[in-house]
Amino acid sequence: MKLSDRDIKALTFDLFGTVLDLGGSLSPFIEKFLQAKGAKCSPEDFWAGWRARQRIEQYQDSLFMLPHAGYLATSRRALVYVLAVLGIETLEGEVDELMASWQQLNPFPDVPASLSRLSKRFRLVALSNGDPEFLEHLVKNRIQWNFDHIFSVTKVGRFKPHPAVYRSAAVELGVEPGECCMISSNSFDVVGARLGGYRAVYVNRYHTPVEEAPVGPDAVVADFSELADLIA
């Protein structure tokens, strides 16, 4: 399927792990922390555990249907959980210091030029699990790209891939779901968007498969440069 043949008006971008290089940005801070603690766990393994637990925390946040905790809150819970699993004790303030590293996230190198190419044809929208103020900081100071719109899941009170997120974003944008294309390196995000009526491109930055699901991506690319070559 050629997405260029589709009547797509808006590209909705996942930020965490798709636009922003989480592992590459956070690993130096994690490594410094682990070295100070004399921990034997590698920064890569620590990050993998933290990221996996964060997703569980987000799923639970949506499933329990309690007041929405927010992205950074679930990330902090995940960090505390992983520290406990590894038996790493922390002093007062050390968890907060490690959480502060999230403010220093950097975009992947291929992002700026590719967004510039894509902006000539589509509306570019950040559609993220992040908290509004956190997203504003990241977009302005870290990504440094003026998206046409920023949509935070806090408006819905559920994390992606809850279908209400994608539908609400389309309504706010004033377009039909089928006129939106989700761009994500998270396969659950691709499936959720497709089930919400979106088109979707899986940016397979981590060489991981898409989950078995009733729907899949319309296209798979390696990075944003390939994405721009495909549809710009």
Side-chain angles (χ1 to χ4, degrees):
M1 177 183 297
K2 293 184 178 180
L3 287 171
S4 57
D5 295 337
R6 290 278 184 176
D7 186 22
I8 296 171
K9 296 180 179 178
L11 302 182
T12 57
F13 290 86
D14 169 71
L15 295 190
F16 300 112
T18 303
V19 171
L20 294 161
D21 181 5
L22 300 188
S25 301
L26 297 175
S27 288
F29 297 95
I30 294 172
E31 182 175 19
K32 181 179 178 180
F33 170 81
L34 293 176
Q35 288 178 346
K37 289 296 179 182
K40 297 181 180 180
C41 178
S42 71
E44 294 76 18
D45 288 344
F46 187 95
W47 167 242
W50 188 358
R51 182 63 165 159
R53 183 64 197 183
Q54 182 190 23
R55 286 173 175 163
I56 292 175
E57 293 289 344
Q58 291 174 350
Y59 291 150
Q60 290 181 163
D61 187 89
S62 293
L63 289 170
F64 291 161
M65 300 188 73
L66 296 171
H68 185 67
Y71 187 88
L72 291 175
T74 55
S75 179
R76 191 181 195 283
R77 290 176 187 171
L79 172 58
V80 171
Y81 180 90
V82 170
L83 289 169
V85 168
L86 296 174
I88 299 176
E89 297 182 358
T90 58
L91 301 174
E92 184 177 355
E94 287 183 327
V95 169
D96 290 336
E97 288 180 11
L98 197 48
M99 281 300 304
S101 62
W102 283 84
Q103 304 296 323
Q104 304 301 316
L105 298 179
N106 295 312
F108 285 97
D110 55 288
V111 166
S114 299
L115 291 181
S116 181
R117 290 174 62 190
L118 293 165
S119 67
K120 296 175 182 178
R121 181 177 175 191
F122 304 101
R123 294 169 66 186
L124 305 189
V125 178
L127 201 173
S128 176
N129 277 336
D131 313 320
E133 290 185 3
F134 186 35
L135 293 180
E136 289 179 11
H137 158 68
L138 293 173
V139 167
K140 179 181 178 181
N141 302 313
R142 308 307 299 175
I143 304 171
Q144 297 182 347
W145 179 265
N146 187 23
F147 286 94
D148 295 294
H149 193 77
I150 300 173
F151 186 92
S152 168
V153 300
T154 57
K155 297 176 181 179
V156 180
R158 296 290 181 266
F159 285 108
K160 293 185 295 179
H162 196 288
V165 171
Y166 307 99
R167 294 167 187 162
S168 296
V171 170
E172 188 163 301
L173 292 171
V175 297
E176 295 295 324
E179 295 174 323
C180 298
C181 183
M182 189 72 211
I183 311 298
S184 183
S185 294
N186 298 302
S187 59
F188 68 83
D189 200 5
V190 169
V191 174
R194 291 285 285 109
L195 290 172
Y198 282 44
R199 312 323 301 172
V201 174
Y202 181 41
V203 185
N204 194 4
R205 292 192 182 278
Y206 311 103
H207 310 290
T208 52
V210 178
E211 295 121 329
E212 286 191 27
V215 293
D218 294 290
V220 179
V221 297
D223 53 31
F224 273 30
S225 297
E226 192 173 321
L227 170 68
D229 289 341
L230 178 68
I231 62 176

